[in-house]
Amino acid sequence: MRVLFLCSEYEGLIKTGGLADATRALAVALQKSGVDVRVMLPRYGALYDVALTPDWQSVYFSLAGEAMGCAVRQVAAQEVPLYLLEHHELFGRERPYDDGLHGYPDNARRFSFFCKAALQWCLEQDWKPDLIHGHDWQTGAAACYLKTLYAAALPNCRFVFTVHNGAYQQPLSMAELYANELSWGLPQLRPSLLACGLVYADKLVTVSQGYAAELLEEPAANGLSQLYQQRRQDFSGILNGVDDQIWDPAIDPYLTHHFSPVDLTGKLHCKQQLLRHCKLPDTDWPLFVSVSRLTGQKGYDYLIPALEQWLTSAQAYVVLMGTGEPLYVDSLQQLALKYPHQLRFIHGFDEALSHLLEAAGDFFLMPSLFEPCGLNQLYSLKYGTLPLVRATGGLKDTVQGLDQPQPTGIRFNEPKPEAVLQALQQAMALYQQKEKFLQIRKRGMQQNFDWGSAARAYLALYQQLLN
Ligand code: ADP
Ligand code: GLC
């Protein structure tokens, strides 16, 4: 079975969040299951230094009458064949979607171009995919082109579309629809690249069952609940996993000290290392960590006021790392100034430090307003760092709260500072009950969220479509 992944991020090459973790891990897991999987993504400016194989192809096509061309190059020495679609003017910019503050104004054009070029490339190769698997709005146009402009040329090719985050849709103006040859037959709905994927794909998946249920309703669906409902028969949730080549505390190459549920000494050393790094004294206070994009999705609107109040008296450390919206950056910097003995805010995107934070923490803060799946809570479980989460989407599916028979973390419901505060207090109390805390820590570390199960579920879906 030949499957082409179209995506905009891939771990090890370009990453802004969990999408990158997911595309790589799933591609590798599918390959292990015997699928001939290949991956294509744009060659961003940040990828101009990547080592390539000597062969490359040129691809020519037209987009609404305009003659277009690009190069397709292959990355050297990859387990899964990886192709970069190169067009300097559209993709030569350093960052994938924005200049750091604002989304690029031509994103609809850029990613429509990517999708049409990818289909044209398929047409011209000996290797023809049986199925194209697109990830998120950046690849929604490909589903539309496959079923319209390329229906005659690639009649047997099927399309699976995974929604990793339904909040990002890339809305389209009428002018953008026409300029990119996208067909839209639903006058009652605002067109977007995400919606193109939802309308035209043969099967729709999202990254947890909990979020799949939420997307059938507003406000989670961000205006598209009708569409998800219409496609209910073809829509399912498949939970992401943990890539244990990258996230395993027993062998993690980013860590100096390793550990496992049977010997947690290394975890204590990681905590000491992080406290030293942050110039915080090494006491037995619990350490709360977080690594995340700084957006409304991640719950900062109620987390920040909760921390502000809690830290006036809490004997605890908080170390947060993230990049994102300036409003949250400012508030977190202010908070760090206000509580220099307890809180550090690391404003940056640092892969190595993200592993140390996961390893060092006692609790991982993930109070998301919504969370399609979430990977950091899964990494946290594996690293013995109890996730403190809001019960939503994938977080609800993967973390058991203290009121459940087999707790693995702490959960709260209301997206309000008082609810976070209460959860923080529960965490403090639990930390004092050493035996119970250790039991929950070890239970979390033994949970199994492997990509093999996800790959099997996707494979079953592919087979269903291809038979
Ligand atoms: P989302 O995809 O919504 O951002 P996930 O929990 O699925 O959330 O995945 C986030 C991924 O991005 C994780 O691998 C996390 O470690 C990584 N990440 C987020 N922010 C940073 C950062 N500032 N530095 C390093 N890694 C980060
Ligand atoms: C998105 C979601 C996150 C999910 C990730 C990978 O970025 O916000 O919840 O884990 O994609 O699927």
Side-chain angles (χ1 to χ4, degrees):
M1 189 189 294
R2 295 171 163 186
V3 175
L4 178 67
F5 266 34
L6 296 182
C7 55
S8 58
E9 300 187 23
Y10 196 78
E11 168 70 38
L13 278 188
I14 187 88
K15 166 165 170 171
T16 71
L19 175 62
D21 305 37
T23 52
R24 178 179 178 277
L26 181 59
V28 172
L30 284 167
Q31 190 187 53
K32 281 193 188 133
S33 314
V35 178
D36 178 0
V37 54
R38 305 189 178 191
V39 178
M40 185 177 276
L41 67 157
R43 189 177 192 195
Y44 307 108
L47 299 181
Y48 277 29
D49 290 339
V50 167
L52 302 168
T53 65
D55 306 325
W56 62 281
Q57 297 102 39
S58 49
V59 178
Y60 296 101
F61 60 102
S62 74
L63 196 51
E66 196 182 333
M68 296 286 187
C70 62
V72 174
R73 304 187 189 274
Q74 191 174 348
V75 182
Q78 291 288 312
E79 45 199 337
V80 174
L82 206 62
Y83 298 94
L84 299 178
L85 199 135
E86 178 182 305
H87 184 286
H88 188 71
E89 192 191 324
L90 291 174
F91 289 109
R93 311 160 204 182
E94 196 67 11
R95 296 168 59 90
Y97 321 124
D98 56 46
D99 62 10
L101 279 183
H102 307 288
Y104 299 129
D106 57 351
N107 273 342
R109 180 67 165 183
R110 295 170 76 230
F111 285 98
S112 299
F113 173 95
F114 169 63
C115 291
K116 196 166 181 198
L119 290 184
Q120 185 63 33
W121 177 80
C122 291
L123 206 60
E124 293 172 11
Q125 298 307 298
D126 292 336
W127 187 91
K128 297 231 179 334
D130 300 306
L131 189 145
I132 297 176
H133 188 160
H135 298 268
D136 270 351
W137 67 263
Q138 294 86 344
T139 64
C144 175
Y145 295 142
L146 182 66
K147 301 294 166 163
T148 56
L149 306 177
Y150 285 80
L154 295 167
N156 301 318
C157 184
R158 300 285 174 261
F159 199 98
V160 171
F161 187 52
T162 296
V163 177
H164 294 263
N165 195 329
Y168 298 105
Q169 303 184 348
Q170 189 59 45
L172 298 166
S173 64
M174 282 302 153
E176 283 170 325
L177 267 184
Y178 296 129
N180 295 304
E181 287 180 285
L182 293 160
S183 308
W184 185 254
L186 299 171
Q188 73 281 18
L189 272 185
R190 170 124 197 238
S192 65
L193 288 182
L194 184 83
C196 281
L198 298 179
V199 168
Y200 289 101
D202 295 297
K203 290 282 178 195
L204 308 176
V205 177
T206 191
V207 287
S208 69
Q209 291 185 358
Y211 189 59
E214 288 171 14
L215 285 178
L216 298 174
E217 313 276 340
E218 303 300 341
N222 289 285
L224 296 178
S225 56
Q226 236 187 321
L227 201 48
Y228 289 106
Q229 281 171 26
Q230 277 170 20
R231 304 273 346 244
R232 213 179 189 139
Q233 295 306 319
D234 297 313
F235 180 37
S236 58
I238 300 180
L239 193 72
N240 289 333
V242 174
D243 184 342
D244 49 22
Q245 287 180 8
I246 298 177
W247 293 97
D248 179 352
I251 52 165
D252 187 331
Y254 287 112
L255 300 181
T256 321
H257 310 283
H258 295 105
F259 54 93
S260 69
V262 290
D263 183 1
L264 284 158
T265 328
K267 184 161 176 72
L268 185 62
H269 289 145
C270 290
K271 181 173 176 180
Q272 290 164 341
Q273 186 186 346
L274 183 70
L275 291 175
R276 264 198 313 279
H277 176 85
C278 293
K279 301 193 170 51
L280 290 166
D282 176 15
T283 67
D284 186 35
W285 287 5
L287 171 61
F288 292 73
V289 296
S290 172
V291 179
S292 101
R293 294 183 293 115
L294 305 176
T295 67
Q297 174 188 345
K298 301 295 176 178
Y300 286 98
D301 290 315
Y302 42 89
L303 174 66
I304 293 172
L307 288 175
E308 179 144 32
Q309 190 180 335
W310 181 61
L311 287 171
T312 54
S313 59
Q315 297 199 324
Y317 298 121
V318 181
V319 179
L320 310 167
M321 176 163 73
T323 52
E325 291 174 27
L327 183 74
Y328 299 124
V329 173
D330 280 356
S331 309
L332 291 169
Q333 279 167 342
Q334 292 303 325
L335 206 60
L337 289 177
K338 190 165 172 188
Y339 296 107
H341 304 295
Q342 293 145 289
L343 186 136
R344 292 288 177 273
F345 168 53
I346 302 162
H347 182 210
F349 196 99
D350 186 329
E351 195 76 38
L353 208 48
S354 74
H355 285 247
L356 180 60
L357 279 159
E358 285 285 10
D362 295 304
F363 296 94
F364 190 96
L365 299 171
M366 200 155 170
S368 308
L369 184 60
F370 69 95
E371 197 61 73
C373 175
L375 293 169
N376 281 117
Q377 86 281 12
L378 303 182
Y379 304 155
S380 301
L381 287 168
K382 188 133 192 193
Y383 281 62
T385 304
L386 277 56
L388 185 158
V389 305
R390 192 169 98 74
T392 180
L395 297 175
K396 191 173 176 184
D397 289 1
T398 55
V399 179
Q400 308 300 310
L402 292 180
D403 55 346
Q404 294 178 280
Q406 302 280 311
T408 53
I410 292 174
R411 284 181 15 177
F412 67 95
N413 287 311
E414 292 294 306
K416 292 185 177 151
E418 309 83 77
V420 181
L421 207 53
Q422 210 181 3
L424 288 167
Q425 282 152 358
Q426 283 177 3
M428 291 301 275
L430 177 63
Y431 189 72
Q432 298 313 322
Q433 303 169 55
K434 296 290 177 203
E435 283 287 305
K436 188 171 174 194
F437 177 77
L438 188 64
Q439 189 193 20
I440 296 178
R441 170 172 265 174
K442 288 188 176 173
R443 181 181 298 124
M445 294 179 83
Q446 281 152 350
Q447 303 290 301
N448 185 19
F449 294 105
D450 70 318
W451 272 105
S453 326
R456 279 191 292 281
Y458 276 107
L459 196 55
L461 197 70
Y462 296 169
Q463 273 157 350
Q464 199 187 331
L465 272 179
L466 294 174
N467 287 335

PDB file of all heavy atoms in Angstrom, residues 32-56:
ATOM      1  N   LYS A  32       6.645   0.758   9.722  1.00  0.00           N
ATOM      2  CA  LYS A  32       6.921  -0.493  10.452  1.00  0.00           C
ATOM      3  C   LYS A  32       5.822  -1.515  10.222  1.00  0.00           C
ATOM      4  O   LYS A  32       6.056  -2.716  10.276  1.00  0.00           O
ATOM      5  CB  LYS A  32       7.045  -0.217  11.952  1.00  0.00           C
ATOM      6  CG  LYS A  32       8.392   0.352  12.334  1.00  0.00           C
ATOM      7  CD  LYS A  32       8.603   0.315  13.839  1.00  0.00           C
ATOM      8  CE  LYS A  32       9.865   1.066  14.212  1.00  0.00           C
ATOM      9  NZ  LYS A  32       9.670   1.979  15.334  1.00  0.00           N
ATOM     10  N   SER A  33       4.601  -1.027   9.976  1.00  0.00           N
ATOM     11  CA  SER A  33       3.487  -1.963   9.729  1.00  0.00           C
ATOM     12  C   SER A  33       3.447  -2.416   8.275  1.00  0.00           C
ATOM     13  O   SER A  33       2.471  -3.028   7.851  1.00  0.00           O
ATOM     14  CB  SER A  33       2.147  -1.318  10.056  1.00  0.00           C
ATOM     15  OG  SER A  33       2.181  -0.661  11.264  1.00  0.00           O
ATOM     16  N   GLY A  34       4.431  -2.013   7.480  1.00  0.00           N
ATOM     17  CA  GLY A  34       4.507  -2.518   6.110  1.00  0.00           C
ATOM     18  C   GLY A  34       3.954  -1.574   5.045  1.00  0.00           C
ATOM     19  O   GLY A  34       3.901  -1.935   3.874  1.00  0.00           O
ATOM     20  N   VAL A  35       3.538  -0.376   5.437  1.00  0.00           N
ATOM     21  CA  VAL A  35       3.017   0.573   4.443  1.00  0.00           C
ATOM     22  C   VAL A  35       4.201   1.260   3.751  1.00  0.00           C
ATOM     23  O   VAL A  35       5.181   1.623   4.398  1.00  0.00           O
ATOM     24  CB  VAL A  35       2.123   1.645   5.133  1.00  0.00           C
ATOM     25  CG1 VAL A  35       1.615   2.658   4.129  1.00  0.00           C
ATOM     26  CG2 VAL A  35       0.968   0.982   5.873  1.00  0.00           C
ATOM     27  N   ASP A  36       4.100   1.449   2.438  1.00  0.00           N
ATOM     28  CA  ASP A  36       5.117   2.209   1.695  1.00  0.00           C
ATOM     29  C   ASP A  36       4.725   3.685   1.823  1.00  0.00           C
ATOM     30  O   ASP A  36       3.979   4.219   1.014  1.00  0.00           O
ATOM     31  CB  ASP A  36       5.101   1.735   0.234  1.00  0.00           C
ATOM     32  CG  ASP A  36       6.095   2.508  -0.628  1.00  0.00           C
ATOM     33  OD1 ASP A  36       6.783   3.406  -0.102  1.00  0.00           O
ATOM     34  OD2 ASP A  36       6.160   2.213  -1.831  1.00  0.00           O
ATOM     35  N   VAL A  37       5.212   4.293   2.886  1.00  0.00           N
ATOM     36  CA  VAL A  37       4.780   5.670   3.172  1.00  0.00           C
ATOM     37  C   VAL A  37       5.877   6.658   2.796  1.00  0.00           C
ATOM     38  O   VAL A  37       7.065   6.395   3.001  1.00  0.00           O
ATOM     39  CB  VAL A  37       4.318   5.822   4.655  1.00  0.00           C
ATOM     40  CG1 VAL A  37       5.346   5.368   5.626  1.00  0.00           C
ATOM     41  CG2 VAL A  37       3.900   7.231   4.996  1.00  0.00           C
ATOM     42  N   ARG A  38       5.480   7.741   2.167  1.00  0.00           N
ATOM     43  CA  ARG A  38       6.406   8.826   1.831  1.00  0.00           C
ATOM     44  C   ARG A  38       5.777  10.135   2.297  1.00  0.00           C
ATOM     45  O   ARG A  38       4.558  10.223   2.409  1.00  0.00           O
ATOM     46  CB  ARG A  38       6.662   8.870   0.331  1.00  0.00           C
ATOM     47  CG  ARG A  38       7.149   7.508  -0.139  1.00  0.00           C
ATOM     48  CD  ARG A  38       7.637   7.491  -1.543  1.00  0.00           C
ATOM     49  NE  ARG A  38       8.107   6.133  -1.836  1.00  0.00           N
ATOM     50  CZ  ARG A  38       8.788   5.788  -2.892  1.00  0.00           C
ATOM     51  NH1 ARG A  38       9.108   6.689  -3.785  1.00  0.00           N
ATOM     52  NH2 ARG A  38       9.174   4.540  -3.075  1.00  0.00           N
ATOM     53  N   VAL A  39       6.631  11.093   2.583  1.00  0.00           N
ATOM     54  CA  VAL A  39       6.135  12.329   3.205  1.00  0.00           C
ATOM     55  C   VAL A  39       6.572  13.529   2.374  1.00  0.00           C
ATOM     56  O   VAL A  39       7.718  13.575   1.932  1.00  0.00           O
ATOM     57  CB  VAL A  39       6.717  12.469   4.637  1.00  0.00           C
ATOM     58  CG1 VAL A  39       6.258  13.763   5.292  1.00  0.00           C
ATOM     59  CG2 VAL A  39       6.333  11.272   5.494  1.00  0.00           C
ATOM     60  N   MET A  40       5.664  14.468   2.180  1.00  0.00           N
ATOM     61  CA  MET A  40       6.048  15.700   1.477  1.00  0.00           C
ATOM     62  C   MET A  40       5.665  16.912   2.306  1.00  0.00           C
ATOM     63  O   MET A  40       4.563  16.970   2.860  1.00  0.00           O
ATOM     64  CB  MET A  40       5.367  15.765   0.118  1.00  0.00           C
ATOM     65  CG  MET A  40       5.829  16.966  -0.683  1.00  0.00           C
ATOM     66  SD  MET A  40       5.095  16.995  -2.320  1.00  0.00           S
ATOM     67  CE  MET A  40       6.205  15.918  -3.187  1.00  0.00           C
ATOM     68  N   LEU A  41       6.593  17.841   2.388  1.00  0.00           N
ATOM     69  CA  LEU A  41       6.286  19.103   3.071  1.00  0.00           C
ATOM     70  C   LEU A  41       7.002  20.240   2.359  1.00  0.00           C
ATOM     71  O   LEU A  41       7.913  19.995   1.562  1.00  0.00           O
ATOM     72  CB  LEU A  41       6.632  19.039   4.558  1.00  0.00           C
ATOM     73  CG  LEU A  41       8.050  18.921   5.044  1.00  0.00           C
ATOM     74  CD1 LEU A  41       8.138  19.449   6.463  1.00  0.00           C
ATOM     75  CD2 LEU A  41       8.493  17.482   5.055  1.00  0.00           C
ATOM     76  N   PRO A  42       6.611  21.488   2.630  1.00  0.00           N
ATOM     77  CA  PRO A  42       7.277  22.601   1.951  1.00  0.00           C
ATOM     78  C   PRO A  42       8.717  22.772   2.444  1.00  0.00           C
ATOM     79  O   PRO A  42       9.026  22.452   3.596  1.00  0.00           O
ATOM     80  CB  PRO A  42       6.441  23.822   2.362  1.00  0.00           C
ATOM     81  CG  PRO A  42       5.140  23.289   2.861  1.00  0.00           C
ATOM     82  CD  PRO A  42       5.465  21.953   3.453  1.00  0.00           C
ATOM     83  N   ARG A  43       9.557  23.263   1.547  1.00  0.00           N
ATOM     84  CA  ARG A  43      10.931  23.564   1.981  1.00  0.00           C
ATOM     85  C   ARG A  43      10.971  25.021   2.456  1.00  0.00           C
ATOM     86  O   ARG A  43      11.139  25.958   1.671  1.00  0.00           O
ATOM     87  CB  ARG A  43      11.918  23.356   0.838  1.00  0.00           C
ATOM     88  CG  ARG A  43      13.344  23.449   1.322  1.00  0.00           C
ATOM     89  CD  ARG A  43      14.341  23.176   0.217  1.00  0.00           C
ATOM     90  NE  ARG A  43      15.677  22.995   0.775  1.00  0.00           N
ATOM     91  CZ  ARG A  43      16.775  23.036   0.055  1.00  0.00           C
ATOM     92  NH1 ARG A  43      16.721  23.232  -1.243  1.00  0.00           N
ATOM     93  NH2 ARG A  43      17.943  22.861   0.636  1.00  0.00           N
ATOM     94  N   TYR A  44      10.819  25.191   3.758  1.00  0.00           N
ATOM     95  CA  TYR A  44      10.860  26.535   4.347  1.00  0.00           C
ATOM     96  C   TYR A  44      12.313  27.029   4.354  1.00  0.00           C
ATOM     97  O   TYR A  44      13.249  26.218   4.242  1.00  0.00           O
ATOM     98  CB  TYR A  44      10.339  26.511   5.786  1.00  0.00           C
ATOM     99  CG  TYR A  44       8.977  25.861   5.931  1.00  0.00           C
ATOM    100  CD1 TYR A  44       8.846  24.621   6.531  1.00  0.00           C
ATOM    101  CD2 TYR A  44       7.830  26.487   5.453  1.00  0.00           C
ATOM    102  CE1 TYR A  44       7.600  24.011   6.663  1.00  0.00           C
ATOM    103  CE2 TYR A  44       6.580  25.892   5.580  1.00  0.00           C
ATOM    104  CZ  TYR A  44       6.475  24.652   6.180  1.00  0.00           C
ATOM    105  OH  TYR A  44       5.254  24.054   6.299  1.00  0.00           O
ATOM    106  N   GLY A  45      12.464  28.335   4.555  1.00  0.00           N
ATOM    107  CA  GLY A  45      13.807  28.911   4.648  1.00  0.00           C
ATOM    108  C   GLY A  45      14.652  28.176   5.681  1.00  0.00           C
ATOM    109  O   GLY A  45      15.851  27.968   5.485  1.00  0.00           O
ATOM    110  N   ALA A  46      14.021  27.742   6.772  1.00  0.00           N
ATOM    111  CA  ALA A  46      14.750  27.052   7.844  1.00  0.00           C
ATOM    112  C   ALA A  46      15.277  25.694   7.382  1.00  0.00           C
ATOM    113  O   ALA A  46      16.066  25.071   8.086  1.00  0.00           O
ATOM    114  CB  ALA A  46      13.825  26.868   9.049  1.00  0.00           C
ATOM    115  N   LEU A  47      14.853  25.238   6.190  1.00  0.00           N
ATOM    116  CA  LEU A  47      15.285  23.908   5.716  1.00  0.00           C
ATOM    117  C   LEU A  47      16.286  23.996   4.569  1.00  0.00           C
ATOM    118  O   LEU A  47      16.555  23.000   3.909  1.00  0.00           O
ATOM    119  CB  LEU A  47      14.057  23.081   5.292  1.00  0.00           C
ATOM    120  CG  LEU A  47      13.032  22.811   6.390  1.00  0.00           C
ATOM    121  CD1 LEU A  47      11.871  21.965   5.866  1.00  0.00           C
ATOM    122  CD2 LEU A  47      13.696  22.087   7.566  1.00  0.00           C
ATOM    123  N   TYR A  48      16.869  25.178   4.357  1.00  0.00           N
ATOM    124  CA  TYR A  48      17.805  25.308   3.234  1.00  0.00           C
ATOM    125  C   TYR A  48      19.154  24.643   3.521  1.00  0.00           C
ATOM    126  O   TYR A  48      19.919  24.398   2.600  1.00  0.00           O
ATOM    127  CB  TYR A  48      17.967  26.786   2.823  1.00  0.00           C
ATOM    128  CG  TYR A  48      16.849  27.231   1.881  1.00  0.00           C
ATOM    129  CD1 TYR A  48      15.592  26.636   1.946  1.00  0.00           C
ATOM    130  CD2 TYR A  48      17.039  28.212   0.918  1.00  0.00           C
ATOM    131  CE1 TYR A  48      14.562  27.005   1.086  1.00  0.00           C
ATOM    132  CE2 TYR A  48      16.006  28.592   0.050  1.00  0.00           C
ATOM    133  CZ  TYR A  48      14.777  27.982   0.152  1.00  0.00           C
ATOM    134  OH  TYR A  48      13.753  28.355  -0.701  1.00  0.00           O
ATOM    135  N   ASP A  49      19.419  24.343   4.799  1.00  0.00           N
ATOM    136  CA  ASP A  49      20.700  23.699   5.139  1.00  0.00           C
ATOM    137  C   ASP A  49      20.608  22.181   5.205  1.00  0.00           C
ATOM    138  O   ASP A  49      21.609  21.511   5.430  1.00  0.00           O
ATOM    139  CB  ASP A  49      21.166  24.165   6.532  1.00  0.00           C
ATOM    140  CG  ASP A  49      21.581  25.608   6.500  1.00  0.00           C
ATOM    141  OD1 ASP A  49      21.880  26.092   5.391  1.00  0.00           O
ATOM    142  OD2 ASP A  49      21.586  26.250   7.569  1.00  0.00           O
ATOM    143  N   VAL A  50      19.407  21.649   5.066  1.00  0.00           N
ATOM    144  CA  VAL A  50      19.218  20.198   5.227  1.00  0.00           C
ATOM    145  C   VAL A  50      19.944  19.435   4.112  1.00  0.00           C
ATOM    146  O   VAL A  50      19.902  19.844   2.949  1.00  0.00           O
ATOM    147  CB  VAL A  50      17.697  19.901   5.179  1.00  0.00           C
ATOM    148  CG1 VAL A  50      17.413  18.438   5.012  1.00  0.00           C
ATOM    149  CG2 VAL A  50      17.026  20.447   6.418  1.00  0.00           C
ATOM    150  N   ALA A  51      20.598  18.323   4.465  1.00  0.00           N
ATOM    151  CA  ALA A  51      21.312  17.525   3.458  1.00  0.00           C
ATOM    152  C   ALA A  51      20.307  16.820   2.543  1.00  0.00           C
ATOM    153  O   ALA A  51      19.324  16.239   3.020  1.00  0.00           O
ATOM    154  CB  ALA A  51      22.194  16.496   4.151  1.00  0.00           C
ATOM    155  N   LEU A  52      20.595  16.877   1.233  1.00  0.00           N
ATOM    156  CA  LEU A  52      19.662  16.328   0.242  1.00  0.00           C
ATOM    157  C   LEU A  52      20.334  15.239  -0.585  1.00  0.00           C
ATOM    158  O   LEU A  52      21.562  15.195  -0.683  1.00  0.00           O
ATOM    159  CB  LEU A  52      19.217  17.452  -0.708  1.00  0.00           C
ATOM    160  CG  LEU A  52      18.546  18.659  -0.065  1.00  0.00           C
ATOM    161  CD1 LEU A  52      18.440  19.801  -1.065  1.00  0.00           C
ATOM    162  CD2 LEU A  52      17.158  18.292   0.458  1.00  0.00           C
ATOM    163  N   THR A  53      19.533  14.401  -1.224  1.00  0.00           N
ATOM    164  CA  THR A  53      20.082  13.452  -2.195  1.00  0.00           C
ATOM    165  C   THR A  53      20.315  14.240  -3.494  1.00  0.00           C
ATOM    166  O   THR A  53      19.734  15.311  -3.681  1.00  0.00           O
ATOM    167  CB  THR A  53      19.094  12.291  -2.472  1.00  0.00           C
ATOM    168  OG1 THR A  53      17.948  12.845  -3.106  1.00  0.00           O
ATOM    169  CG2 THR A  53      18.672  11.600  -1.184  1.00  0.00           C
ATOM    170  N   PRO A  54      21.145  13.711  -4.405  1.00  0.00           N
ATOM    171  CA  PRO A  54      21.438  14.492  -5.628  1.00  0.00           C
ATOM    172  C   PRO A  54      20.246  14.614  -6.588  1.00  0.00           C
ATOM    173  O   PRO A  54      20.166  15.557  -7.360  1.00  0.00           O
ATOM    174  CB  PRO A  54      22.583  13.721  -6.287  1.00  0.00           C
ATOM    175  CG  PRO A  54      22.746  12.451  -5.540  1.00  0.00           C
ATOM    176  CD  PRO A  54      21.957  12.493  -4.284  1.00  0.00           C
ATOM    177  N   ASP A  55      19.314  13.661  -6.529  1.00  0.00           N
ATOM    178  CA  ASP A  55      18.208  13.700  -7.506  1.00  0.00           C
ATOM    179  C   ASP A  55      17.145  14.709  -7.102  1.00  0.00           C
ATOM    180  O   ASP A  55      16.859  14.856  -5.929  1.00  0.00           O
ATOM    181  CB  ASP A  55      17.499  12.334  -7.574  1.00  0.00           C
ATOM    182  CG  ASP A  55      18.487  11.239  -7.856  1.00  0.00           C
ATOM    183  OD1 ASP A  55      19.446  11.512  -8.602  1.00  0.00           O
ATOM    184  OD2 ASP A  55      18.319  10.143  -7.294  1.00  0.00           O
ATOM    185  N   TRP A  56      16.576  15.335  -8.101  1.00  0.00           N
ATOM    186  CA  TRP A  56      15.425  16.187  -7.838  1.00  0.00           C
ATOM    187  C   TRP A  56      14.575  16.290  -9.091  1.00  0.00           C
ATOM    188  O   TRP A  56      15.030  15.943 -10.176  1.00  0.00           O
ATOM    189  CB  TRP A  56      15.862  17.567  -7.347  1.00  0.00           C
ATOM    190  CG  TRP A  56      16.688  18.342  -8.322  1.00  0.00           C
ATOM    191  CD1 TRP A  56      18.010  18.179  -8.586  1.00  0.00           C
ATOM    192  CD2 TRP A  56      16.236  19.383  -9.176  1.00  0.00           C
ATOM    193  NE1 TRP A  56      18.425  19.045  -9.536  1.00  0.00           N
ATOM    194  CE2 TRP A  56      17.346  19.820  -9.931  1.00  0.00           C
ATOM    195  CE3 TRP A  56      15.007  20.014  -9.378  1.00  0.00           C
ATOM    196  CZ2 TRP A  56      17.260  20.840 -10.874  1.00  0.00           C
ATOM    197  CZ3 TRP A  56      14.918  21.039 -10.313  1.00  0.00           C
ATOM    198  CH2 TRP A  56      16.040  21.441 -11.049  1.00  0.00           C
TER     199      TRP A  56
END
